[in-house]
Amino acid sequence: MIPSMAEMMTQVGSAIAGLMVAYAMFQNYFPYELRGPIRRYSQKLINFFYPYIQISFPEYHGDGFARSNAFTAIERYLNANSTTQAKRLKANVVRDSEAIVLTMANHEEVTDEYQGIKLRWASSETTPIASQFHSTPEKTRRGKAITVKERRRKLYINNKSEGYGYRRSMWSHVLFEHPATFDTLAMDPDKKLDIINDLLNFSKSKDYYAKIGKAWKRGYLLYGPPGTGKSTMIAAMANLLKYDIYDVELTAVKDNTELRKLLIDTSSKSIVVIEDIDCSLDLTGQREKKKDNKEEENDKKKDDEKDAVKEKMKKMEENKTSQVTLSGLLNFIDGLWSACAGERIIVFTTNYVEKLDPALIRRGRMDKHIELAYCGFEAFKVLAKNYLDVDWHDLFGTIKRLLEETKMTPADVAENLMPKLGGEDGETCLMRLIKALEEAKEEARVKAEEEEKQKAEKLAKEEEEENNKEKEKENENLANGVKENGEVNEAKTDNLENGGKENGEVNTENLENGVKENGVATK
């Protein structure tokens, strides 16, 4: 007799209930010490009949705060290759990506093939969330490539050392959305091409660096007056290589140990930046030799134009809380810890390269020195194309002549080229630039004349002071001479009186003796 559907459901329900009761009794009454061996041998029995190899990739690893790179790479691979087979998908927009990421829903499974081997991708969820996938090195590599291609770059800043808090990151970040590229960078085309080739060659030289035994990193020193495009250059480098940027604020770093920890916490494919390193900390004078007073006075005269920078450094020194030393910074650049994460670029910027310690910027630490100078005609043409979409104009000849006769930074040139009012045409902007250049030229002339005048007045004052010193010295010598002469004359008078007295005594005595002798003789 075939049982009815109701009877079958009743039997199934009774069986399930029985299993649940048995499992509850097992959990409550079976000794905990025996559960491990039972699970272990049960798994061995299952593996004897189960022909597949299973590898699990958790979504979070370590302390549970960092998302697994392997898991993210597999997500990208499934998004690009395998999700067409799944019936149920999950759509997410990852924070650092512009693309929608499709992943399999829980308990979904798809098949794939790699070098003739059939694979099954399965997703499952536990508490906390974790996922299991069957993977291969090639799949992971391809997934990482897709991740790099789709990800959006980030700009990091180190957090102040006081009180990181429980598991708080040493870095904070925002999305890096700076639009600068080498195409829009205002500088000489040949120099620009040389920098691009150097950067691209570095990014492809992993095997070469391993062959010569060097860490896969490269240092760039950007120096020049303010407003010449040092920060823009860094943004263009990041956009060219698709690297993240880590902006290190040295005054927020407690000591050398913390500086090394910051380095370890950076990722590969990144640019580590220390801007205005001559002002960040007083690192430049720790190895200077002692100078005599005359040399110090001469150096002081040469550095008058840098008083503002020195004053800023002095104030920072007074309020100094960081214990980072020059030695610690040197080890940060090319010590043993600098090789902890590959494919990294280190960039220093400064307005006064001559203030930096030679050990800090030597080749091997700062491998390539790039001077960003005042705006030249070639750089101006780039700016004219960027701001006005003008390749040539009759006023270009006048601008070229003025740029050769005066100094103006690319930032100032760009400001004058930017249309200020709606409807301003290119010629109006070029005329404004010409006027600004002529004013700058006149200001430079007046300043030069004023400096020459001050220099002449200073020399005249120094000559006058020197003459006064000589006159004072002559008067002093004359006074000393008169005094000496007076003492000599008094001495002569004394000698004369003493001589007369002595002569008188001698004569009297001789006279008496003579009389006596004569008297005796007479007698």
Side-chain angles (χ1 to χ4, degrees):
M1 181 179 177
I2 300 175
S4 63
M5 182 62 67
E7 293 177 347
M8 291 179 62
M9 294 298 295
T10 301
Q11 294 176 1
V12 170
S14 300
I16 293 175
L19 290 174
M20 292 179 64
V21 171
Y23 181 75
M25 294 179 64
F26 175 81
Q27 292 288 337
N28 293 330
Y29 300 106
F30 201 82
Y32 181 81
E33 291 77 8
L34 296 179
R35 297 180 190 178
I38 291 176
R39 291 195 184 97
R40 183 167 61 253
Y41 288 109
S42 299
Q43 189 62 47
K44 287 185 177 181
L45 181 62
I46 294 172
N47 291 341
F48 184 78
F49 298 99
Y50 190 75
Y52 301 104
I53 297 175
Q54 177 176 315
I55 303 175
S56 300
F57 289 88
E59 183 176 5
Y60 294 90
H61 59 76
D63 58 6
F65 284 88
R67 202 164 188 256
S68 169
N69 292 331
F71 184 91
T72 304
I74 293 170
E75 275 190 329
R76 297 294 199 280
Y77 175 76
L78 293 177
N79 177 30
N81 297 275
S82 302
T83 53
T84 55
Q85 301 181 31
K87 301 299 183 182
R88 294 182 299 114
L89 302 174
K90 293 187 297 183
N92 295 297
V93 178
V94 182
R95 182 175 181 179
D96 63 339
S97 176
E98 298 177 344
I100 294 178
V101 178
L102 298 176
T103 57
M104 295 180 297
N106 296 329
H107 312 299
E108 187 70 25
E109 183 176 295
V110 296
T111 60
D112 192 12
E113 186 173 336
Y114 174 72
Q115 295 183 353
I117 302 174
K118 290 186 177 181
L119 304 172
R120 288 189 301 170
W121 300 85
S123 173
S124 61
E125 183 179 37
T126 59
T127 304
I129 299 175
S131 302
Q132 297 177 338
F133 297 97
H134 302 283
S135 182
T136 63
E138 179 64 19
K139 301 291 187 182
T140 303
R141 185 190 66 78
R142 290 166 61 184
K144 286 183 177 180
I146 297 172
T147 301
V148 172
K149 182 179 179 181
E150 293 183 350
R151 76 185 181 97
R152 299 179 67 180
R153 285 161 300 287
K154 297 177 181 178
L155 173 62
Y156 292 84
I157 183 69
N158 54 302
N159 295 316
K160 196 169 180 63
S161 59
E162 283 83 353
Y164 279 120
Y166 179 67
R167 293 180 177 176
R168 180 186 172 190
S169 173
M170 301 182 74
W171 297 95
S172 299
H173 73 270
V174 295
L175 292 179
F176 180 71
E177 298 178 333
H178 200 296
T181 65
F182 277 94
D183 291 335
T184 61
L185 195 63
M187 66 184 305
D188 182 81
D190 294 335
K191 191 173 184 179
K192 186 188 301 186
L193 182 61
D194 176 66
I195 298 171
I196 292 174
N197 290 336
D198 189 81
L199 290 168
L200 294 177
N201 182 65
F202 165 78
S203 66
K204 300 174 183 177
S205 301
K206 179 180 181 180
D207 295 336
Y208 177 77
Y209 275 81
K211 176 184 176 182
I212 62 177
K214 289 186 64 176
W216 192 13
K217 64 179 182 61
R218 189 160 176 80
Y220 290 82
L221 175 66
L222 309 182
Y223 65 96
T228 52
K230 295 182 286 293
S231 299
T232 306
M233 167 71 76
I234 296 171
M237 294 167 69
N239 286 329
L240 175 70
L241 299 176
K242 301 187 185 303
Y243 283 7
D244 292 328
I245 296 179
Y246 288 84
D247 186 7
V248 181
E249 176 55 58
L250 286 179
T251 57
V253 182
K254 183 179 180 181
D255 51 29
N256 296 336
T257 300
E258 186 173 297
L259 187 62
R260 286 194 292 269
K261 290 180 180 179
L262 285 171
L263 182 67
I264 295 171
D265 207 29
T266 61
S267 63
S268 62
K269 294 185 179 295
S270 62
I271 300 177
V272 180
V273 178
I274 302 180
E275 292 195 275
D276 296 323
I277 190 169
D278 54 304
C279 298
S280 295
L281 286 177
D282 188 14
L283 301 170
T284 58
Q286 295 182 14
R287 295 160 63 103
E288 291 181 355
K289 296 180 179 179
K290 293 183 178 179
K291 303 177 181 179
D292 57 30
N293 293 334
K294 187 175 182 180
E295 290 178 344
E296 290 179 355
E297 184 178 352
N298 292 334
D299 291 342
K300 185 177 180 180
K301 292 179 181 178
K302 294 178 182 178
D303 294 340
D304 285 343
E305 61 186 27
K306 303 166 189 173
D307 287 342
V309 176
K310 290 182 179 180
E311 186 65 23
K312 180 179 178 181
M313 292 178 63
K314 183 178 179 180
K315 290 181 179 179
M316 292 176 63
E317 180 67 21
E318 292 174 355
N319 300 324
K320 181 178 178 181
T321 58
S322 174
Q323 300 299 320
V324 175
T325 64
L326 178 61
S327 175
L329 186 59
L330 296 180
N331 290 327
F332 172 82
I333 300 171
D334 69 345
L336 294 175
W337 293 96
S338 67
C340 63
E343 197 170 358
R344 181 188 290 112
I345 288 176
I346 300 175
V347 178
F348 288 168
T349 72
T350 179
N351 296 333
Y352 305 103
V353 65
E354 67 276 5
K355 293 176 64 67
L356 300 180
D357 193 295
L360 189 64
I361 59 176
R362 68 163 175 81
R363 297 304 194 274
R365 290 186 174 125
M366 294 292 103
D367 304 285
K368 193 171 183 66
H369 296 189
I370 302 173
E371 181 181 9
L372 299 173
Y374 291 101
C375 187
F377 183 63
E378 294 298 327
F380 157 74
K381 290 197 295 185
V382 176
L383 293 173
K385 179 64 176 177
N386 293 342
Y387 286 84
L388 305 176
D389 199 20
V390 174
D391 293 315
W392 183 259
H393 194 277
D394 294 338
L395 296 174
F396 274 25
T398 303
I399 293 174
K400 180 180 181 181
R401 175 180 58 81
L402 289 171
L403 286 173
E404 292 172 352
E405 295 174 351
T406 188
K407 295 178 180 180
M408 182 173 283
T409 64
D412 290 332
V413 173
E415 179 62 26
N416 285 284
L417 289 177
M418 182 179 295
K420 300 296 188 297
L421 300 173
E424 276 192 344
D425 57 6
E427 184 172 348
T428 303
C429 297
L430 292 174
M431 288 298 299
R432 180 167 55 238
L433 174 60
I434 291 175
K435 181 180 179 181
L437 286 169
E438 290 175 344
E439 291 176 353
K441 180 180 177 181
E442 180 64 19
E443 288 176 2
R445 184 189 65 79
V446 173
K447 183 178 180 181
E449 291 178 355
E450 185 67 24
E451 289 177 351
E452 190 67 26
K453 181 179 178 181
Q454 291 178 357
K455 184 177 180 181
E457 292 176 353
K458 188 176 182 180
L459 289 175
K461 185 177 181 181
E462 290 177 353
E463 290 179 0
E464 184 180 357
E465 291 177 352
E466 188 68 25
N467 292 333
N468 291 335
K469 288 181 180 179
E470 290 180 359
K471 289 180 179 180
E472 291 176 359
K473 188 174 182 180
E474 290 177 359
N475 294 333
E476 184 178 353
N477 292 337
L478 182 61
N480 291 335
V482 171
K483 184 177 180 180
E484 291 175 357
N485 291 335
E487 291 177 352
V488 170
N489 293 334
E490 291 177 359
K492 288 182 178 179
T493 303
D494 293 341
N495 291 337
L496 182 60
E497 292 176 353
N498 292 334
K501 184 177 181 180
E502 290 175 356
N503 291 336
E505 291 176 352
V506 171
N507 292 335
T508 303
E509 184 178 355
N510 290 338
L511 180 60
E512 291 177 352
N513 291 335
V515 171
K516 187 177 181 180
E517 290 176 356
N518 291 333
V520 173
T522 300
K523 289 178 180 180

